[in-house]
Amino acid sequence: MAVPGFTFGTFLLVLHFSSVANYPNGEVGKSCHGMVPGHGHTARSDPVHNISVSHMTFRPGDQIEVTLSGLPFKGFLLEARDAEDLNGPPVGSFTLIDSQMSQLLTCEDVQGYAVSHTNPHKKTKINVYWNAPRNAPNHIKFLVTVVEKYKNYWVKIPGPVISQPNAPPFTTPEATVAPLSTLPPVSHLTRSFSASDCGNKKFCIRNPLNCDPEKERACFFLSFTRDDQSVVVEMSGPSKGYLSFAFSHDRWMGDDDAYVCIREDQTVHIQPSHLTGRHHPVMGSRGALEDMAWRLADGVMQCSFRRNIILPGVKNRFDLNTSYYIFLADGTADNGRIYKHSQQPLITYEKHNVADDPKNVGGSRSLFLLKAHGALMFVAWMTTVSIGVLMARFFKSVWSKPFFGQAGWFQVHRTLMLTTTALTCIAFVLPFIYRRGWSWYAGCHPYLGCVVVGLAVLQPLLAAFRPPLYDPRRQMFNWTHWSMGTAARIIAVSAMFLGMDLPGLNLPSPWKTYAMIGFVAWHVGTEIVLEIHAYRLSRKVEVLDDARIQILQSFTVAEAEGHAFKKVVLAVYICGNVTFLIIFLSAISHL
């Protein structure tokens, strides 16, 4: 599990099998030897594409034009091999004619051994040159795998045999017919799964916790029931594409034993697979699964199968008598091809042995470190910094009395701003600990976060060198301090808007956006109210009677009224601010 940076959710994020058509960009070097897509479907035996060549004879060093043509297709893999040893490595190299349609691949550590597509767009004809090597065999046969769409493909379509001029006549080797593989039978479930035996006979993972798939359509359900030396697996959830689960040694993607139930039209395919880093799962043989069954009803997909606890000799299938983290994910599919998961996968809190005692366990779709990161940032940039700004802007005259050697408002402002810096720095470190490095898949959020942290650290450092009150540089300091603080707040809010949409935090939509907009409007509205009040107060003093004593008396009364109003506004603001904070923290803590 050496690939950091993504949980099982990514196991179905980019979704690139080690296959031909699973790579829309055609980078299928790993498929050079077998030329077989890992789509989990059976290759067709009625090819509708053909290979033609410009010459039927060649000498070492010659260039032969090779053409692939036929009905529209999306992907292909073209190779030349020794006609007398088709299972051997590719022979010679290719030269491109149109680099927009085709590209060279590295096979057997040799660049240009094979040619594939560059994009998934439909095409009807491909032209390339094949370069005959110095040590070319007497006879060369061209082979091509063609993918029309995900479930329709042809493997190793034979092309013409070209020969060297003085070579003995080519004799087609006696064909060895491989027996057709027989897939395990699949039946149709007649009734929904039930959670009634969870904790008694079944090991169950459910989301929401304690939901019942028999009664609740929104219930994601995964159960394991031990039956002698095998385990019966049941999986259910609302999905129009696929459901999947995996056993993992840790919370990271890579070297995981996964199982996918994929909907295709009105059928469900049950497929074991193996996760190898941040790529599509590599589909495996269904021969290790028994008693496969499925059901589609009311937007809910259900599938079940049986597998032995120990599968000696079966590659990439884990023994089930060991504890693992368990992941549960869902997403969309089209023509049997799976795409990015629709929400952050559920991950159990700890490792479990599903073949051991029956249990009822839960999990989370957002891990603790990411929850803590979001919570600390919300506290810092929704509460402490907002109140601190209001203190400095509107409450200097309200709390001007000294407190521990400084004005009261200043002490509150400084404490809140230092708290903001401390919370921001702590929160900033947590994603790096979780991701074990930089996250390259979080968009602009981490970059904005770095800017916010930089400004948050610079502000108190700048304040430490604040000039005295009547120093000529004081005005420049005030403007710089205000500008950096305002920029930090704006960027921080932008980063929070972007961060809320990341799958790691998994806040529910669309209320998260509305709530954040509500908070911004609440803060801006409070500042506007206080600005209007300050303006009206100044105007009120200006129109007072010219008598000096009258002005002073009236100003004192107006100032007292103004202070009382500001205190009421601040109290209401803090109540509303805390309410928004509680909403976000509650959402985070329940994920």
Side-chain angles (χ1 to χ4, degrees), residues 346-421:
L346 186 77
I347 308 174
T348 56
Y349 296 111
E350 56 185 319
K351 291 182 178 181
H352 294 283
N353 184 345
V354 299
D356 205 351
D357 296 332
K359 292 179 183 177
N360 248 318
V361 303
S364 173
R365 294 187 183 273
S366 180
L367 299 183
F368 173 76
L369 288 178
L370 295 185
K371 290 182 180 181
H373 168 77
L376 291 176
M377 286 300 192
F378 279 130
V379 171
W381 295 97
M382 288 181 65
T383 304
T384 57
V385 77
S386 301
I387 299 174
V389 167
L390 294 182
M391 282 290 171
R393 179 69 182 88
F394 300 104
F395 288 87
K396 291 181 180 179
S397 61
V398 178
W399 287 300
S400 59
K401 293 182 179 180
F403 181 71
F404 288 100
Q406 295 283 356
W409 72 267
F410 179 76
Q411 295 285 36
V412 175
H413 170 76
R414 180 167 59 182
T415 301
L416 290 174
M417 290 310 187
L418 288 175
T419 301
T420 298
T421 300

Side-chain angles (χ1 to χ4, degrees), residues 460-533:
L461 294 178
L462 179 66
F465 298 95
R466 179 181 58 171
L469 183 61
Y470 298 107
D471 190 286
R473 297 169 299 171
R474 182 59 178 262
Q475 187 173 7
M476 180 181 295
F477 165 82
N478 289 341
W479 277 106
T480 303
H481 192 60
W482 175 86
S483 300
M484 290 177 60
T486 302
R489 292 164 61 202
I490 293 173
I491 297 172
V493 170
S494 302
M496 286 193 289
F497 269 108
L498 295 174
M500 290 188 304
D501 287 331
L502 294 177
L505 198 55
N506 197 43
L507 288 172
S509 297
W511 76 262
K512 60 185 179 185
T513 303
Y514 299 149
M516 195 64 190
I517 292 174
F519 160 72
V520 173
W522 178 254
H523 180 80
V524 172
T526 300
E527 289 207 29
I528 291 174
V529 168
L530 290 173
E531 288 284 3
I532 293 174
H533 173 262

